[in-house]
Protein backbone atom coordinates (compact mmCIF):
# COMPACT_ATOMS: atom_id res chain seq x y z
CA UNK A 1 0.00 0.00 0.00
CA UNK A 2 1.25 3.49 -0.78
CA UNK A 3 2.21 5.56 2.26
CA UNK A 4 -0.52 8.13 1.58
CA UNK A 5 -3.20 5.43 1.38
CA UNK A 6 -2.00 3.71 4.55
CA UNK A 7 -2.03 7.03 6.43
CA UNK A 8 -5.50 8.07 5.27
CA UNK A 9 -6.80 4.57 5.99
CA UNK A 10 -5.46 4.92 9.54
CA UNK A 11 -7.34 8.23 9.97
CA UNK A 12 -10.48 6.59 8.57
CA UNK A 13 -10.21 3.52 10.82
CA UNK A 14 -9.60 5.47 14.05
CA UNK A 15 -12.30 8.09 13.43
CA UNK A 16 -9.82 10.92 12.77
CA UNK A 17 -11.16 11.56 9.27
CA UNK A 18 -14.00 13.98 10.05
CA UNK A 19 -16.70 14.87 7.56
CA UNK A 20 -19.13 17.73 7.93
CA UNK A 21 -18.75 21.48 7.64
CA UNK A 22 -15.55 22.96 9.02
CA UNK A 23 -14.16 26.45 9.40
CA UNK A 24 -10.45 26.36 8.47
CA UNK A 25 -7.88 28.76 9.93
CA UNK A 26 -7.75 30.38 6.49
CA UNK A 27 -11.41 31.42 6.90
CA UNK A 28 -12.51 29.02 4.15
CA UNK A 29 -15.13 26.29 4.72
CA UNK A 30 -14.40 22.61 4.07
CA UNK A 31 -16.41 19.36 4.05
CA UNK A 32 -13.56 17.38 5.66
CA UNK A 33 -10.95 17.63 8.39
CA UNK A 34 -8.15 15.33 9.55
CA UNK A 35 -7.78 15.33 13.33
CA UNK A 36 -4.29 13.96 14.06
CA UNK A 37 -4.82 13.64 17.82
CA UNK A 38 -7.47 10.98 17.21
CA UNK A 39 -4.93 8.77 15.42
CA UNK A 40 -2.02 9.64 17.72
CA UNK A 41 -3.95 8.65 20.87
CA UNK A 42 -3.01 5.09 19.88
CA UNK A 43 0.67 4.62 20.76
CA UNK A 44 1.15 1.82 18.23
CA UNK A 45 -0.19 4.00 15.40
CA UNK A 46 1.92 6.95 16.61
CA UNK A 47 5.05 4.76 16.62
CA UNK A 48 4.33 3.49 13.13
CA UNK A 49 3.73 6.98 11.75
CA UNK A 50 6.91 8.20 13.46
CA UNK A 51 8.99 5.37 12.00
CA UNK A 52 7.51 6.00 8.53
CA UNK A 53 8.27 9.71 8.77
CA UNK A 54 11.81 8.99 9.99
CA UNK A 55 12.33 6.71 6.98
CA UNK A 56 11.06 9.44 4.63
CA UNK A 57 13.50 11.90 6.20
CA UNK A 58 16.48 9.54 6.02
CA UNK A 59 17.69 10.60 2.55
CA UNK A 60 17.69 14.25 3.70
CA UNK A 61 19.57 13.85 6.97
CA UNK A 62 22.39 11.43 6.10
CA UNK A 63 21.71 9.33 9.18
CA UNK A 64 22.65 11.92 11.74
CA UNK A 65 20.06 13.85 13.73
CA UNK A 66 20.87 14.95 17.28
CA UNK A 67 17.57 16.54 18.16
CA UNK A 68 13.98 16.66 16.91
CA UNK A 69 12.13 19.92 17.58
CA UNK A 70 8.34 20.33 17.48
CA UNK A 71 5.81 23.06 18.24
CA UNK A 72 3.60 22.35 21.28
CA UNK A 73 1.07 20.88 21.57
CA UNK A 74 0.22 19.33 18.22
CA UNK A 75 3.76 18.36 17.27
CA UNK A 76 4.87 16.75 20.51
CA UNK A 77 3.59 13.17 20.15
CA UNK A 78 4.68 12.68 16.54
CA UNK A 79 7.99 14.50 17.22
CA UNK A 80 8.65 12.10 20.08
CA UNK A 81 8.04 9.07 17.87
CA UNK A 82 10.23 10.41 15.05
CA UNK A 83 12.98 11.05 17.62
CA UNK A 84 12.66 7.50 18.90
CA UNK A 85 13.02 6.12 15.36
CA UNK A 86 16.02 8.36 14.61
CA UNK A 87 17.73 7.75 17.97
CA UNK A 88 17.59 11.50 18.66
CA UNK A 89 16.48 13.69 21.58
CA UNK A 90 13.02 15.22 21.46
CA UNK A 91 12.30 18.80 22.50
CA UNK A 92 9.43 21.18 21.91
CA UNK A 93 8.82 24.91 21.73
CA UNK A 94 6.04 26.85 23.44
CA UNK A 95 4.76 30.38 23.12
CA UNK A 96 5.76 32.78 25.88
CA UNK A 97 3.48 35.48 27.30
CA UNK A 98 4.29 37.70 24.33
CA UNK A 99 3.36 34.92 21.89
CA UNK A 100 6.93 34.18 20.80
CA UNK A 101 8.04 30.56 20.22
CA UNK A 102 10.68 29.66 22.77
CA UNK A 103 12.47 26.73 24.42
CA UNK A 104 11.55 26.27 28.09
CA UNK A 105 11.70 23.46 30.69
CA UNK A 106 15.48 23.28 30.59
CA UNK A 107 15.63 22.20 26.94
CA UNK A 108 18.99 23.07 25.43
CA UNK A 109 20.51 22.82 21.97
CA UNK A 110 24.25 22.97 21.59
CA UNK A 111 25.86 24.89 18.73
CA UNK A 112 26.54 22.58 15.80
CA UNK A 113 23.90 20.00 16.68
CA UNK A 114 21.87 18.70 13.76
CA UNK A 115 18.09 18.76 13.90
CA UNK A 116 14.81 18.21 12.11
CA UNK A 117 11.50 19.93 12.82
CA UNK A 118 8.36 17.79 13.03
CA UNK A 119 4.70 18.85 13.11
CA UNK A 120 1.45 16.92 12.87
CA UNK A 121 -0.06 19.10 10.11
CA UNK A 122 1.53 21.69 7.85
CA UNK A 123 -0.94 24.21 6.49
CA UNK A 124 1.09 27.34 5.76
CA UNK A 125 4.30 26.11 7.40
CA UNK A 126 4.30 29.03 9.83
CA UNK A 127 4.81 27.01 13.02
CA UNK A 128 7.57 24.91 11.46
CA UNK A 129 9.36 28.08 10.33
CA UNK A 130 9.14 29.49 13.85
CA UNK A 131 10.65 26.32 15.39
CA UNK A 132 13.42 26.34 12.76
CA UNK A 133 14.24 29.91 13.78
CA UNK A 134 14.38 28.97 17.49
CA UNK A 135 16.73 26.05 16.80
CA UNK A 136 18.96 28.12 14.51
CA UNK A 137 19.18 30.89 17.09
CA UNK A 138 20.38 28.22 19.55
CA UNK A 139 23.11 27.28 17.03
CA UNK A 140 21.61 24.11 15.57
CA UNK A 141 21.80 23.13 11.94
CA UNK A 142 18.27 22.36 10.71
CA UNK A 143 18.52 19.69 8.02
CA UNK A 144 14.87 19.10 7.14
CA UNK A 145 11.25 19.27 8.26
CA UNK A 146 8.40 16.78 8.21
CA UNK A 147 4.73 16.33 9.00
CA UNK A 148 2.12 13.59 8.93
CA UNK A 149 -0.24 15.70 6.82
CA UNK A 150 0.48 18.49 4.35
CA UNK A 151 -2.69 20.52 3.76
CA UNK A 152 -0.91 22.94 1.43
CA UNK A 153 -0.91 20.63 -1.57
CA UNK A 154 2.90 20.64 -1.36
CA UNK A 155 3.13 24.43 -1.67
CA UNK A 156 4.22 25.41 1.88
CA UNK A 157 7.85 26.58 1.83
CA UNK A 158 9.67 26.34 5.18
CA UNK A 159 13.16 27.12 3.85
CA UNK A 160 14.56 23.59 4.32
CA UNK A 161 13.74 20.31 2.51
CA UNK A 162 10.37 19.02 3.70
CA UNK A 163 8.49 15.70 3.59
CA UNK A 164 4.91 14.70 4.47
CA UNK A 165 3.28 11.28 4.65
CA UNK A 166 0.09 12.49 2.97
CA UNK A 167 -0.15 15.61 0.82
CA UNK A 168 -3.68 16.87 0.34
CA UNK A 169 -5.38 19.47 -1.77
CA UNK A 170 -8.08 20.35 0.73
CA UNK A 171 -11.51 20.96 -0.74
CA UNK A 172 -12.57 24.41 0.42
CA UNK A 173 -15.11 27.10 -0.33
CA UNK A 174 -15.28 30.83 0.40
CA UNK A 175 -18.07 31.38 2.99
CA UNK A 176 -20.18 33.38 0.54
CA UNK A 177 -20.12 30.54 -2.00
CA UNK A 178 -20.31 27.45 0.25
CA UNK A 179 -22.78 24.68 -0.68
CA UNK A 180 -22.68 23.39 2.93
CA UNK A 181 -23.81 26.80 4.24
CA UNK A 182 -26.64 26.78 1.68
CA UNK A 183 -27.74 23.35 3.00
CA UNK A 184 -27.86 24.82 6.52
CA UNK A 185 -25.30 22.37 7.95
CA UNK A 186 -23.87 23.75 11.25
CA UNK A 187 -20.34 25.13 10.90
CA UNK A 188 -17.73 23.62 13.24
CA UNK A 189 -14.39 25.15 14.13
CA UNK A 190 -12.12 22.13 14.51
CA UNK A 191 -8.69 22.00 16.07
CA UNK A 192 -7.78 21.84 19.71
CA UNK A 193 -11.35 22.26 20.97
CA UNK A 194 -13.07 19.56 18.92
ZN1 LIG B 1 -19.91 26.89 4.70
Amino acid sequence: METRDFVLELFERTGGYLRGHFLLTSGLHSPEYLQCAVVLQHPDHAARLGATLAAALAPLVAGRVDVVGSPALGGIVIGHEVARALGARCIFTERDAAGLMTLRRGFQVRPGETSVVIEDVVTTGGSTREVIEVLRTAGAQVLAAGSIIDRSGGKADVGVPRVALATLDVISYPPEDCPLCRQGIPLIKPGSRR
Side-chain angles (χ1 to χ4, degrees):
M1 195 187 287
E2 292 231 359
T3 299
R4 183 182 191 280
D5 296 337
F6 133 68
V7 171
L8 294 181
E9 195 270 332
L10 209 50
F11 276 79
E12 196 75 74
R13 183 149 47 96
T14 56
Y17 201 138
L18 311 181
R19 290 181 181 80
H21 185 195
F22 302 102
L23 175 62
L24 306 179
T25 45
S26 60
L28 299 175
H29 294 188
S30 177
E32 53 186 24
Y33 191 82
L34 294 173
Q35 185 58 276
C36 286
V38 172
V39 179
L40 295 173
Q41 71 181 312
H42 303 281
D44 53 340
H45 295 337
R48 188 167 173 202
L49 290 170
T52 308
L53 200 42
L57 285 161
L60 302 174
V61 300
R64 187 172 170 271
V65 175
D66 296 312
V67 60
V68 172
S70 297
L73 283 167
I76 294 176
V77 173
I78 187 62
H80 184 264
E81 294 302 328
V82 170
R84 185 202 304 274
L86 292 173
R89 306 200 307 287
C90 165
I91 64 176
F92 54 87
T93 62
E94 298 163 85
R95 293 192 189 282
D96 65 15
L100 283 176
M101 282 285 206
T102 181
L103 288 174
R104 298 163 69 176
R105 303 174 193 267
F107 288 145
Q108 288 193 330
V109 179
R110 287 179 290 279
E113 285 197 306
T114 53
S115 65
V116 296
V117 172
I118 300 296
E119 267 202 274
D120 53 352
V121 182
V122 161
T123 303
T124 63
S127 301
T128 286
R129 282 195 300 273
E130 286 179 274
V131 179
I132 289 172
E133 196 51 42
V134 169
L135 294 176
R136 282 185 176 154
T137 301
Q141 184 190 352
V142 181
L143 303 173
S147 63
I148 303 169
I149 303 293
D150 174 0
R151 291 201 304 178
S152 80
K155 291 190 278 288
D157 180 1
V158 298
V160 297
R162 187 173 69 81
V163 297
L165 297 184
T167 298
L168 310 176
D169 269 313
V170 177
I171 303 162
S172 61
Y173 311 105
E176 64 277 11
D177 188 27
C178 174
L180 305 163
C181 282
R182 281 198 294 274
Q183 289 168 51
I185 299 168
L187 182 66
I188 292 167
K189 187 174 186 299
S192 54
R193 294 184 187 174
R194 291 299 293 256

